[in-house]
Amino acid sequence: MQARRLLGTIILIAGTLLLIFSIGLSIIYGVSDISLSTVWNSIFHYDATNTSHQIIQRLRLPRAVAAVLIGAMLAASGAIMQGMTRNPLASPQIMGVTSGATFMIAIALVFLPGLSNVHLLFFAFAGAGLGLGLVFGVGLLARTGLTPVKLALAGTAITALLGSFSNTMAIHFDVARDLSFWYAGGVANVQWDTVKLLFPAAVIGMILALFISGSVTTLSLGEDVATGLGLKTGAVKVAGVLVVLILTGAAISVGGTIGFVGLVIPHITRFIVGPDYRWIIPCSAILGGILLNFADILSRMVNPPFETPVGALTALIGVPFFIYLARREGKNI
Amino acid sequence: MIHSTKKTSIAAISIIAAILIIFFISLNTGTIPIGPADVIKTLLGTGDGSYDVILFDFRLPRMVIALLIGIGMGIAGAILQGVSQNGLADPGILGINAGAGFAVVLYIFFLQDQLAGSGNLQVFIMPIFAFAGAFLAAGLVYTLAWKKGITPVRLILVGIGINAAFGGLIIVFQLMMEPKDFTQATVWLNGSIWQTSWNYVLALLPWIVLLVPFAMYKAKALNVLTLGDQLATGVGAPVQKERTLLLLTAVGLAGACVSVGGAITFLGLVAPHLARRIVGPNHKHQLPICALIGALIMLVADTLSRTLLAPSEIPIGLVVSAIGAPYFIYLLIKE
């Protein structure tokens, strides 16, 4: 226990430093290279006539901040999903969040073409809620309640259903390419107006997440045990769903589908810091932020000057680790 | 036992009747509707020949392919669910769809334009790529999941991982495509009987004819595997060998179906569930019913995909999902 806390503390401190370093790296690396001193000056002695300063302030910095926030949000909400449902595969894809968001974006693209990105965010957010609501709705209607398998089955079914609607619309109205660009969007074109919407969601979501983290730990022991220990499981679940919705909804709205961060990072974190969600959630957030920011930097390096979808990279980074875990201790995943 | 055999027969006869009825209705419908009398005349060769091309060159091969894919995917799904002891398993989960999809996307991206104009050969190249991709992915999943044998949990988990990796690669290449190629790839990835000719029927038929009876012959082994490894080993079954054999069968079936029909998901998930619900867990009864249900679903889906938004077509895989998912959710709630 002691050792795990130490490891957790190390992640929180060293991770934060690495996070800051990665933001710096993200800012200096790009089509036009920028020196660190210019970065420093642009932040503390901003000169509106300096092109480099403008690039940093208007493009690079919001992008780096968004990557960190989205990575942290996805990882934290993945951790909550996995803890609450005791379902090792719980992640935005399984829980219908992604397919719901994609569905609403498809509707927006088809019926309200020319919406601004900020408006699209609201559609994606509503869609995330729709998907999550449907999956949980099915789970709640099911006679034996929200067993992990039922939830995963419900998620798969809802994803297939919403996916078929969105793709039919996309193909029929010829917006498949636009939809895919949103889907694989990542943080490449994020600007401050978007970050301004993302930031409050991240802060509120994280505070709530930390607030319920102890209860999530209890819930992760199983519903019966949790009830036996006097936990109001219903209230925790409602709060958990709300937090997941805020975190993933906002993250997906801005970044499109970024897979595997929400699935793999909590596993890695649990492996390091143990089963206590008061540690898992904040450590997941830090590690998720680091992972996504590095993935975003990598996405610019793979095939310059073109950008590779960051979601594809997180999958490629996440998969080997996932398989390693699967081989190592299949039962605990 | 006698009771469930009777139940299976009744179910089989009802489903076959439904298939026949819908088959006939489906022959009437499409962008150009053909009256029942004309359909019968044309089929009997006594028509005036005006519908020959539509029926014999377009509708019939397509419907036959749909039926064959339904049978193949249904059986493949049932095997995978039995072998993995997981009701979530479906050919998609073992990376078969994703592997095939990736190979097809690579083909469209790199080779299609170079090979354009090579005529008849062209028609067969894409399915070959798809089939190779399906097998490669399944082989990769199997190899990575192997650790002194295969356990169901590892198989599923590794499958999910490999699926995601291919999914990522597909998006990378797709987004670099020209819009025309992009649409072609999207339609294929969503499951579409994109080309219709008797050649495809001939390409698919041997797989179905060989592997489906083999799967039925192996029904008992599948029953034993469903008990779980310990029990299965306890009753003296060579667990790893049977599992490998059955997996190969499933991959062969699904790979062949995907190569002709595109990535049709959800059929392999729904058909076995429905079959189990009707005739119970014994694979001797379950597999034939599962094949018939798969065929029925595909036939209905094909009919709808041609008529719902006519004259434009919806990929059949999307229709399968739209039909399968609600029923699946209903089952989930009710059980």
Side-chain angles (χ1 to χ4, degrees):
Chain A
M1 215 52 207
Q2 212 74 36
R4 296 234 146 137
R5 269 186 206 161
L6 183 68
L7 285 170
T9 316
I10 291 173
I11 290 184
L12 289 181
I13 295 169
T16 309
L17 293 176
L18 191 58
L19 206 57
I20 293 166
F21 168 74
S22 76
I23 293 178
L25 198 64
S26 172
I27 292 172
I28 60 172
Y29 186 83
V31 178
S32 59
D33 279 330
I34 294 169
S35 74
L36 263 180
S37 62
T38 320
V39 175
W40 182 265
N41 283 331
S42 86
I43 294 173
F44 293 101
H45 312 283
Y46 182 63
D47 176 4
T49 59
N50 187 322
T51 323
S52 293
H53 287 197
Q54 281 193 359
I55 291 176
I56 292 168
Q57 284 285 344
R58 293 180 50 194
L59 300 174
R60 302 260 172 100
L61 196 57
R63 177 175 185 162
V65 170
V68 166
L69 288 178
I70 291 173
M73 292 160 94
L74 289 175
S77 79
I80 295 172
M81 285 187 200
Q82 288 171 15
M84 273 195 353
T85 62
R86 303 179 75 205
N87 186 337
L89 302 179
S91 57
Q93 275 95 338
I94 290 279
M95 309 293 279
V97 180
T98 309
S99 59
T102 312
F103 175 66
M104 286 301 281
I105 291 281
I107 288 184
L109 288 175
V110 168
F111 297 106
L112 299 160
L115 273 188
S116 73
N117 277 340
V118 172
H119 284 112
L120 279 182
L121 292 189
F122 290 105
F123 273 85
F125 198 89
L130 172 75
L132 194 68
L134 282 173
V135 172
F136 269 97
V138 171
L140 288 173
L141 282 174
R143 271 185 204 159
T144 45
L146 287 164
T147 65
V149 178
K150 281 251 157 86
L151 211 56
L153 284 168
T156 310
I158 297 291
T159 300
L161 188 64
L162 292 177
S164 77
F165 290 150
S166 352
N167 284 333
T168 305
M169 277 192 288
I171 291 170
H172 187 66
F173 294 100
D174 205 17
V175 293
R177 217 168 132 80
D178 294 340
L179 190 62
S180 286
F181 270 106
W182 174 80
Y183 188 83
V187 287
N189 299 311
V190 170
Q191 302 198 348
W192 281 121
D193 56 349
T194 321
V195 176
K196 273 182 203 152
L197 290 170
L198 190 62
F199 195 72
V203 172
I204 295 168
M206 285 300 171
I207 291 172
L208 287 175
L210 290 174
F211 189 69
I212 62 165
S213 59
S215 307
V216 173
T217 310
T218 315
L219 201 55
S220 73
L221 299 172
E223 186 122 15
D224 294 342
V225 179
T227 314
L229 289 171
L231 188 73
K232 288 184 181 122
T233 55
V236 175
K237 278 181 183 170
V238 171
V241 171
L242 196 68
V243 177
V244 163
L245 186 58
I246 293 173
L247 289 175
T248 8
I252 284 184
S253 311
V254 174
T257 298
I258 297 169
F260 266 83
V261 179
L263 185 65
V264 170
I265 290 290
H267 280 293
I268 298 177
T269 313
R270 191 162 40 239
F271 180 64
I272 300 172
V273 304
D276 187 345
Y277 279 83
R278 285 173 302 177
W279 288 95
I280 293 175
I281 290 173
C283 291
S284 287
I286 297 279
L287 292 178
I290 294 173
L291 175 71
L292 193 58
N293 203 23
F294 273 112
D296 181 49
I297 296 168
L298 201 60
S299 77
R300 286 169 258 172
M301 292 179 169
V302 174
N303 187 20
F306 301 103
E307 306 225 358
T308 305
V310 71
L313 284 175
T314 55
L316 294 180
I317 295 168
V319 166
F321 201 90
F322 186 77
I323 288 172
Y324 164 76
L325 283 177
R327 283 175 59 82
R328 196 165 188 280
E329 41 171 5
K331 274 179 198 159
N332 296 334
I333 289 187
Chain B
M1 216 51 184
I2 294 164
H3 175 67
S4 55
T5 308
K6 195 176 160 198
K7 215 173 173 182
T8 308
S9 314
I10 294 173
I13 292 167
S14 323
I15 300 169
I16 290 170
I19 289 177
L20 289 175
I21 293 168
I22 291 168
F23 194 86
F24 190 71
I25 294 174
S26 186
L27 281 173
N28 296 309
T29 52
T31 313
I32 302 170
I34 305 175
D38 286 324
V39 167
I40 294 171
K41 275 187 207 157
T42 310
L43 288 182
L44 294 174
T46 56
D48 56 10
S50 53
Y51 298 121
D52 279 3
V53 174
I54 298 175
L55 280 185
F56 289 116
D57 292 350
F58 289 99
R59 266 177 218 173
L60 264 178
R62 190 177 159 144
M63 285 158 62
V64 172
I65 287 173
L67 289 172
L68 291 177
I69 289 177
I71 292 170
M73 284 299 235
I75 297 280
I79 294 176
L80 293 180
Q81 291 185 7
V83 167
S84 65
Q85 297 156 41
N86 188 323
L88 266 176
D90 149 288
I93 288 219
L94 281 197
I96 292 168
N97 290 347
F102 180 58
V104 164
V105 165
L106 279 188
Y107 166 73
I108 293 175
F109 189 73
F110 285 112
L111 291 172
Q112 182 162 260
D113 291 339
Q114 272 93 321
L115 294 174
S118 45
N120 271 335
L121 189 63
Q122 163 92 359
V123 173
F124 277 107
I125 293 176
M126 203 156 118
I128 290 171
F129 265 77
F131 193 76
F135 248 92
L136 273 178
L140 199 59
V141 171
Y142 193 79
T143 316
L144 287 170
W146 181 275
K147 191 179 172 189
K148 295 179 196 154
I150 296 285
T151 67
V153 178
R154 259 205 318 267
L155 196 66
I156 294 283
L157 285 173
V158 173
I160 289 171
I162 293 297
N163 241 337
F166 277 124
L169 288 170
I170 286 174
I171 277 286
V172 171
F173 282 96
Q174 238 193 324
L175 289 181
M176 291 193 286
M177 283 179 178
E178 304 292 320
K180 172 183 72 73
D181 289 348
F182 181 92
T183 306
Q184 190 192 353
T186 307
V187 168
W188 192 90
L189 289 168
N190 284 302
S192 164
I193 305 179
W194 54 281
Q195 288 281 3
T196 51
S197 81
W198 290 106
N199 286 340
Y200 289 102
V201 176
L202 288 178
L204 183 55
L205 198 61
W207 295 91
I208 304 293
V209 169
L210 288 174
L211 293 179
V212 169
F214 180 74
M216 308 239 180
Y217 167 71
K218 281 284 172 195
K220 206 176 151 200
L222 203 51
N223 283 339
V224 174
L225 280 179
T226 316
L227 297 173
D229 282 15
Q230 281 185 335
L231 269 175
T233 315
V235 298
V239 173
Q240 292 303 344
K241 194 186 131 222
E242 294 287 12
R243 182 147 50 210
T244 307
L245 210 54
L246 280 162
L247 278 175
L248 274 177
T249 312
V251 173
L253 279 172
C257 291
V258 167
S259 76
V260 175
I264 291 163
T265 45
F266 222 58
L267 186 62
L269 190 68
V270 167
H273 269 269
L274 286 173
R276 214 164 20 241
R277 206 171 126 82
I278 297 171
V279 296
N282 184 346
H283 286 91
K284 206 177 116 202
H285 304 295
Q286 194 192 321
L287 289 179
I289 296 301
C290 183
L292 289 172
I293 290 175
L296 180 63
I297 293 176
M298 279 298 283
L299 193 61
V300 172
D302 175 56
T303 315
L304 291 177
S305 80
R306 281 190 280 127
T307 49
L308 273 183
L309 291 179
S312 66
E313 286 187 5
I314 312 166
I316 190 168
L318 296 178
V319 182
V320 172
S321 300
I323 299 172
Y327 189 77
F328 189 72
I329 292 167
Y330 161 76
L331 276 184
L332 209 61
I333 291 173
K334 198 156 171 269
E335 269 175 6

